[in-house]
C-alpha cells in the first residue's frame, strides 16, 4: 500500500494538430519522491507536467493521480486540481488582490474554510516562505523572487499532496533564484511529492530522487542524480548536460 | 578615501511666469505670431460670448420655466419626494467623498455648491429651502463618513445599491388613490431633467449586467448561447437607437394582446437598456481578451470552478481595465436619452422644445439650448471626472 505510486502515467500521447508532442510517456511517482524533469525547449516537458493537473489534455494512454483517473469528467478534474499545487514560470499571481487575498481565495472558495482559518494558515505559510511582512501588499509591489514565493504559498494553502513546478526560476533575476530554490528545497525535505521542470542542476543534485531527461517528446534517460551527472548512458543526455553545465 | 557625493536636489520644475512665457509662447518669431493670433481669436470669441451672456440673452425664459425643465409636469405638491431622494444621493455622495475622495477642501467646496446655487440664481423660496437642506445633508454625510471610514464602507456601498429602487419608488408613488400616502404620479407627468436622469440611471444599471452576460455568452463554449449572444449583439449594433425607440413605441402595441399596454417611459427605458447592453457587451469582451491566459490557468490549477474564476479573477481585472471605455459608454447613454424626445417623451431636450413652442418665448432658442447644453456638459464632465478618480483609486497594485 505504501509503495502504491501516487502518480501513474502509462503510455501517454499528445498531438498539437499534426505535431506529435509526447510520444508514449510512462512514469510512476511514489509518495514523497522528488522528480526533476529537464531537457531542451520543445521537448514536451512542460506539456507533460501540465497534463498532470489537466491544463493540457492527453489523447492516448492513462493518467491516475492519487487514485483518481484523469478523464473528461469535470468532477475528477476538479478533485485532482485541488490535490495538486502548481507553480508557474510567470508566477501568475492575481494582480488585483493582495498577497493575503491571493492565498486565501481558493481555500475559502473551494475548501470552504472560514476566513479566519484561511488567514491563519496563510500567515504560517508566508512565514515558512520568509515574507510574512508582505501580506498586505499587492503582487506588483514585490520583487520576482518574492512573487514566486507567494505563488508557492498560494499553492500550499490548498494543502496539496503533490506540487508541480513548471520552470519556477526561469523568469527570475539571478540574485533571486536562490531564495526560491531554498523554499523548494525545504519543501522537498519536508516529504512533499514534487515534480519540477527545471534546469537548476544544483537543486537537482541536492534533493532529487530521480531525474528524467526529455527530448523530442520522449523520455531519453532516467536515473538518480549520481547516474545522470556522473555516468549518463545516452549521447543526447551527455551533450545536453555539457551544454547547460559548461557556463 | 571615499568621496562624499553631493546630493543633488531634483531639477526645479518651477520658474517664473515671464520665463515660462518666453520659452513656451515666444520661443521663436513663428511661435510669437501664433500666440498673438491665438490670443486675439480667444478674446474675440470670449468677449462675444460674455457680452451675449450678460447683456443680450434673456435668461427669464429659463427662470420662468425652470420647473418644467427640471421635473416637467410632475405635480408641485409632490415635488418634495424628488428632493428627498436627491438629498439621499447627496448624503451618500458626502459619505463617499469622505471615504474614498482625496482632499477635504475640494469635497467641501463641492458639497457647498447647492447653497451657492441657491443664492446666486433666482430660485423660488421652496427650492432655496431644499438646496440648503441638500448642503446640510451632504455635509452631514461627509462628517459621518470622516468619523469611521473603514466601518462605513460596506453600508455606503449598500446604500448606493438600494438607492435606485428608492428613487423609483419615491418618484412613482405607492397608493392608487390621490389622498393616500405617496399617491401615484403617472409617468406621463415625468419630464425634463428628472426624466433624462431616470432614463440614464435605469439604462446604465440594467444594461451593465446584461452586457456582461452577453460578453460572457459570446465567449461561451456552448454553441446556442454563443450564437444567441453574437446574433443579439450584431443585430442591435447594426440598428440606430432611434429605430429601436420607434419599434418599441409603434410596433410593440401590435404584438401585445388587446388591452395590454406597456407604459411609454418603461418602453423607452427598455429600448435604451437593450441598445446599450449590446455596446457594453463588446466593451467587456475587449477587457476579457486582455487578461493573460496564465490567470485562467492559475485559477484552474487552484481548483476554482469556471464560474468562480470569472467572478473572482477575470471579471474584476477586465472591468477595471475598461473603466474609461465604460464611462464613455455611460456618457453616451446619458446623451442618447435625448432621442426619446422624438417618440414624444418630454425629457430635458423635449421640454426645451415645448418651452420654445410657447408664443411668449419665441426666438429664444439660444438661451434654452445653451442652458440645456450646459447641464449636459456639467453632468457628463462630472461622470468623466468620477471615472478618473475611480481609476486612480483602483490603480493600486495593478501590473
Amino acid at each position: 500500500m505504501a509503495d502504491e505510486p501516487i502518480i501513474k502515467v502509462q503510455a501517454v500521447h499528445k498531438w498539437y494538430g499534426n505535431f506529435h508532442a509526447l510520444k508514449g510517456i510512462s512514469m510512476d511517482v511514489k509518495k514523497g519522491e522528488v522528480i526533476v524533469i529537464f531537457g531542451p525547449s520543445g521537448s514536451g516537458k512542460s506539456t507533460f507536467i501540465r497534463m498532470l493537473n489537466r491544463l493540457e489534455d492527453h489523447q492516448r494512454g492513462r493518467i491516475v493521480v492519487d487514485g483518481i483517473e484523469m478523464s473528461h469528467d469535470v468532477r475528477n478534474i476538479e478533485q485532482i486540481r485541488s490535490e495538486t499545487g502548481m507553480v508557474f514560470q510567470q508566477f501568475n499571481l492575481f494582480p488585483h488582490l493582495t498577497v493575503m487575498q491571493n492565498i486565501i481565495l481558493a481555500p475559502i472558495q473551494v475548501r470552504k474554510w472560514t476566513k479566519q482559518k484561511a488567514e491563519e494558515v496563510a500567515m504560517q505559510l508566508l512565514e515558512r516562505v520568509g515574507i510574512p511582512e508582505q501580506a498586505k501588499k499587492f503582487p506588483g509591489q514585490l520583487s520576482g523572487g518574492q512573487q514566486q514565493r507567494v505563488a508557492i504559498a498560494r499553492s500550499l494553502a490548498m494543502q496539496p499532496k503533490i506540487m508541480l513546478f513548471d520552470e519556477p526560476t526561469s523568469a527570475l533575476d539571478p540574485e533571486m533564484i536562490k531564495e526560491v530554490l531554498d523554499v523548494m528545497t525545504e519543501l522537498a525535505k519536508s516529504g512533499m511529492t514534487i515534480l519540477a521542470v527545471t534546469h537548476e542542476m544544483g537543486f537537482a543534485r541536492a534533493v532529487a530522487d530521480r531525474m528524467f531527461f526529455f527530448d523530442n517528446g520522449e523520455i531519453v534517460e532516467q536515473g538518480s542524480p549520481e547516474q545522470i551527472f556522473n555516468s549518463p548512458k545516452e549521447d543526447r543526455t551527455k551533450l545536453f548536460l555539457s551544454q547547460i553545465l559548461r557556463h | 578615501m571615499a568621496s562624499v557625493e553631493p546630493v543633488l536636489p531634483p531639477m526645479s520644475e518651477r520658474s517664473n511666469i515671464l520665463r515660462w512665457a518666453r520659452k513656451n509662447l515666444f520661443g521663436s518669431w513663428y511661435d510669437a505670431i501664433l500666440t498673438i493670433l491665438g490670443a486675439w481669436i480667444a478674446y474675440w470669441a470670449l468677449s462675444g460670448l460674455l457680452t451675449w451672456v450678460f447683456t443680450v440673452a434673456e435668461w427669464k425664459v429659463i427662470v420662468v420655466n425652470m420647473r418644467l425643465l427640471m421635473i416637467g409636469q410632475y405635480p408641485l405638491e409632490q415635488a418634495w419626494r424628488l428632493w428627498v431622494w436627491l438629498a439621499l444621493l447627496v448624503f451618500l455622495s458626502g459619505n463617499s467623498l469622505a471615504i474614498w475622495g482625496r482632499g477635504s477642501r475640494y469635497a467641501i467646496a463641492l458639497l457647498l455648491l447647492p447653497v451657492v446655487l441657491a443664492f446666486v440664481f433666482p430660485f423660488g423660496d421652496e427650492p432655496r429651502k431644499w438646496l440648503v437642506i441638500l448642503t446640510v445633508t451632504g455635509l452631514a454625510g461627509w462628517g459621518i463618513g470622516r468619523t469611521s471610514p473603514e466601518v462605513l464602507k460596506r453600508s455606503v456601498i449598500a446604500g448606493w445599491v438600494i438607492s435606485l429602487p428608492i428613487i423609483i419608488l419615491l418618484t412613482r408613488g405607492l397608493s392608487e388613490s390621490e389622498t393616500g400616502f405617496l399617491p401615484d404620479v403617472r409617468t406621463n407627468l415625468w419630464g425634463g431633467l428628472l426624466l433624462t436622469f431616470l432614463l440614464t440611471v435605469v439604462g446604465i444599471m440594467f444594461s451593465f449586467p446584461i452586457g456582461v452576460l452577453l460578453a460572457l455568452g459570446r465567449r461561451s463554449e456552448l454553441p446556442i448561447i454563443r450564437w444567441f449572444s453574437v446574433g443579439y449583439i450584431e443585430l442591435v449594433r447594426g440598428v440606430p437607437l432611434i429605430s429601436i425607440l420607434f419599434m418599441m413605441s409603434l410596433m410593440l402595441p401590435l404584438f401585445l394582446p388587446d388591452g395590454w399596454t406597456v407604459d411609454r417611459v418603461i418602453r423607452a427605458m427598455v429600448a435604451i437598456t437593450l441598445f446599450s447592453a449590446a455596446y457594453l457587451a463588446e466593451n467587456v469582451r475587449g477587457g476579457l481578451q486582455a487578461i493573460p491566459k496564465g490567470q485562467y490557468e492559475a485559477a484552474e490549477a487552484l481548483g476554482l470552478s469556471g464560474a468562480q474564476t470569472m467572478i473572482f479573477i477575470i471579471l474584476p481585472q477586465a472591468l477595471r481595465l475598461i473603466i474609461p471605455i465604460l464611462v464613455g459608454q455611460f456618457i453616451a447613454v446619458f446623451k442618447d436619452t435625448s432621442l426619446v424626445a422624438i417618440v414624444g417623451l418630454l425629457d430635458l431636450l423635449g421640454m426645451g422644445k415645448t418651452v420654445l413652442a410657447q408664443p411668449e418665448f419665441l426666438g429664444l432658442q439660444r438661451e434654452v439650448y445653451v442652458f440645456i447644453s450646459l447641464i449636459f456638459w456639467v453632468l457628463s464632465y462630472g461622470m468623466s471626472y468620477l471615472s478618473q478618480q475611480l481609476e486612480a483609486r483602483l490603480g493600486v497594485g495593478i501590473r
Side-chain angles (χ1 to χ4, degrees):
Chain A
M1 190 61 199
D3 281 25
E4 177 71 6
I6 193 164
I7 297 175
K8 277 192 282 191
V9 181
Q10 288 168 356
V12 160
H13 288 260
K14 166 88 181 169
W15 286 265
Y16 290 112
N18 284 327
F19 177 65
H20 201 170
L22 290 179
K23 304 167 183 168
I25 304 285
S26 297
M27 184 188 292
D28 282 353
V29 180
K30 289 199 285 286
K31 204 166 183 308
E33 261 195 311
V34 177
I35 306 288
V36 165
I37 297 167
F38 67 109
S41 70
S43 61
K45 55 193 192 304
S46 275
T47 306
F48 171 73
I49 203 166
R50 287 158 60 87
M51 259 176 194
L52 298 180
N53 63 353
R54 207 166 173 97
L55 289 182
E56 307 278 351
D57 55 351
H58 60 287
Q59 286 139 349
R60 269 172 66 181
R62 271 185 88 205
I63 299 177
V64 180
V65 178
D66 196 28
I68 307 161
E69 169 103 37
M70 187 80 77
S71 65
H72 288 289
D73 190 332
V74 180
R75 268 172 307 168
N76 281 3
I77 296 171
E78 282 179 1
Q79 207 177 340
I80 289 174
R81 281 177 178 162
S82 60
E83 302 296 340
T84 54
M86 183 160 215
V87 176
F88 300 86
Q89 183 177 352
Q90 300 294 343
F91 329 135
N92 293 348
L93 292 179
F94 307 130
H96 62 302
L97 301 177
T98 63
V99 165
M100 177 57 82
Q101 290 165 335
N102 262 279
I103 298 175
I104 64 176
L105 178 68
I108 290 176
Q109 297 301 331
V110 181
R111 291 253 190 264
K112 309 293 177 198
W113 290 0
T114 63
K115 190 172 180 226
Q116 197 193 353
K117 182 186 177 194
E119 283 184 345
E120 275 168 27
V121 171
M123 240 13 244
Q124 286 165 9
L125 287 168
L126 283 175
E127 269 158 36
R128 190 168 167 193
V129 300
I131 40 173
E133 71 285 357
Q134 312 287 0
K136 291 198 171 129
K137 289 197 184 160
F138 286 92
Q141 296 166 301
L142 305 185
S143 73
Q146 290 172 329
Q147 289 192 47
Q148 193 61 298
R149 286 189 278 162
V150 172
I152 294 172
R154 180 176 70 177
S155 295
L156 290 176
M158 288 294 285
Q159 303 189 323
K161 296 179 179 164
I162 302 160
M163 282 292 285
L164 308 174
F165 289 87
D166 188 4
E167 306 210 28
T169 55
S170 302
L172 294 176
D173 290 334
E175 78 272 20
M176 292 168 186
I177 290 177
K178 184 171 175 299
E179 63 191 54
V180 172
L181 289 180
D182 284 348
V183 171
M184 289 170 64
T185 305
E186 187 266 325
L187 200 57
K189 288 183 175 155
S190 75
M192 175 68 76
T193 310
I194 293 179
L195 277 86
V197 172
T198 181
H199 291 147
E200 296 298 335
M201 290 301 151
F203 170 78
R205 203 188 288 268
V207 299
D209 295 306
R210 281 188 293 158
M211 294 177 71
F212 288 79
F213 177 57
F214 272 54
D215 192 12
N216 225 348
E218 296 167 317
I219 295 175
V220 176
E221 186 165 358
Q222 58 169 301
S224 66
E226 296 91 75
Q227 272 174 302
I228 296 282
F229 287 118
N230 302 336
S231 49
K233 293 187 210 94
E234 302 287 329
D235 287 342
R236 275 193 283 176
T237 317
K238 282 181 204 160
L239 179 66
F240 184 76
L241 282 173
S242 73
Q243 280 166 342
I244 63 167
L245 293 176
R246 192 184 301 150
H247 52 259
Chain B
M1 193 185 120
S3 65
V4 178
E5 286 276 324
V7 179
L8 286 176
M11 273 235 259
S12 175
E13 293 289 320
R14 282 182 169 183
S15 56
N16 66 41
I17 289 178
L18 276 180
R19 209 185 311 159
W20 177 86
R22 197 186 307 156
K23 183 174 164 235
N24 292 298
L25 300 179
F26 300 97
S28 65
W29 61 268
Y30 179 71
D31 282 357
I33 289 178
L34 278 183
T35 300
I36 292 167
L37 197 69
W40 181 75
I41 292 175
Y43 170 77
W44 175 74
L46 211 63
S47 69
L49 184 70
L50 290 177
T51 316
W52 179 78
V53 166
F54 288 108
T55 62
V56 183
E58 297 182 37
W59 294 113
K60 202 164 152 279
V61 58
I62 305 297
V63 176
V64 172
N65 294 296
M66 192 58 153
R67 180 198 147 206
L68 279 179
L69 290 170
M70 289 298 119
I71 61 175
Q73 305 279 354
Y74 201 90
L76 262 191
E77 65 277 11
Q78 300 296 336
W80 62 271
R81 284 148 54 169
L82 309 178
W83 286 108
V84 166
W85 64 247
L86 201 55
L88 171 72
L89 291 187
V90 172
F91 180 81
L92 287 171
S93 308
N95 272 171
S96 306
L97 280 170
I99 296 174
W100 290 287
R102 289 169 302 182
S104 48
R105 215 183 304 161
Y106 187 82
I108 290 184
L110 206 64
L111 292 171
L112 285 175
L113 200 63
V115 164
V116 176
L117 287 178
F119 291 99
V120 171
F121 296 101
F123 286 104
D125 286 342
E126 187 70 7
R128 274 206 175 122
K129 182 185 88 191
W130 278 104
L131 284 168
V132 173
I133 292 176
L134 285 191
T135 293
V136 172
T137 49
L139 288 175
W142 186 78
I144 292 171
R146 290 272 288 195
T147 54
S148 46
E150 287 305 315
V151 186
L152 284 173
K153 259 182 190 173
R154 272 164 192 248
S155 31
V156 173
I157 292 173
W160 281 113
V161 172
I162 59 164
S163 61
L164 180 62
I166 291 178
I167 289 174
I168 301 283
L169 203 74
L170 278 173
T171 312
R172 184 80 168 81
L174 284 173
S175 54
E176 295 285 323
S177 74
E178 297 228 339
T179 49
F181 178 65
L182 292 181
D184 210 18
V185 178
R186 290 310 214 39
T187 55
N188 56 2
L189 299 176
W190 302 8
L193 184 60
L194 169 69
L195 182 60
T196 300
F197 177 81
L198 290 175
L199 287 171
T200 308
V201 173
V202 169
I204 289 172
M205 289 309 222
F206 285 90
S207 67
F208 182 68
I210 299 176
V212 170
L213 288 178
L214 282 170
L216 294 176
R218 191 163 187 170
R219 288 163 60 95
S220 168
E221 284 167 11
L222 304 170
I224 295 175
I225 295 178
R226 188 171 63 244
W227 289 117
F228 171 78
S229 303
V230 172
Y232 178 84
I233 291 168
E234 297 305 336
L235 188 72
V236 171
R237 288 205 311 162
V239 178
L241 174 58
I242 190 71
S243 57
I244 297 178
L245 284 167
F246 271 126
M247 285 280 279
M248 278 291 180
S249 59
L250 301 175
M251 307 283 285
L252 195 64
L254 298 182
F255 299 126
L256 288 176
D258 277 345
W260 283 50
T261 50
V262 178
D263 188 284
R264 280 198 312 167
V265 169
I266 292 177
R267 271 183 273 170
M269 283 174 174
V270 171
I272 290 168
T273 301
L274 294 181
F275 182 75
S276 167
Y279 282 86
L280 273 171
E282 286 300 272
N283 295 341
V284 173
R285 191 166 68 97
L288 290 174
Q289 279 170 345
I291 305 301
K293 204 165 147 244
Q295 293 288 309
Y296 290 91
E297 290 182 346
E300 282 172 16
L302 284 167
L304 294 174
S305 70
Q308 288 170 333
T309 303
M310 265 304 153
I311 293 168
F312 296 111
I313 309 299
I314 307 302
L315 276 178
Q317 295 185 61
L319 295 180
R320 195 167 303 212
L321 276 177
I322 58 166
I323 287 173
I325 310 174
L326 284 181
V327 174
Q329 175 65 24
F330 293 160
I331 291 175
V333 171
F334 174 48
K335 293 188 290 190
D336 283 352
T337 56
S338 54
L339 285 172
V340 299
I342 295 176
V343 291
L345 291 176
L346 297 175
D347 75 316
L348 184 54
L349 190 66
M351 203 44 97
K353 283 185 166 165
T354 316
V355 165
L356 287 170
Q358 301 169 39
E360 69 232 78
F361 300 119
L362 281 179
L364 296 177
Q365 282 93 341
R366 273 185 293 189
E367 286 80 354
V368 171
Y369 287 132
V370 163
F371 177 74
I372 290 174
S373 308
L374 189 70
I375 289 184
F376 270 107
W377 179 79
V378 167
L379 293 175
S380 299
Y381 179 74
M383 285 203 239
S384 167
Y385 178 80
L386 273 182
S387 94
Q388 286 163 29
Q389 295 290 302
L390 196 63
E391 270 177 76
R393 230 335 107 170
L394 294 177
V396 191
I398 214 134
R399 275 169 298 226

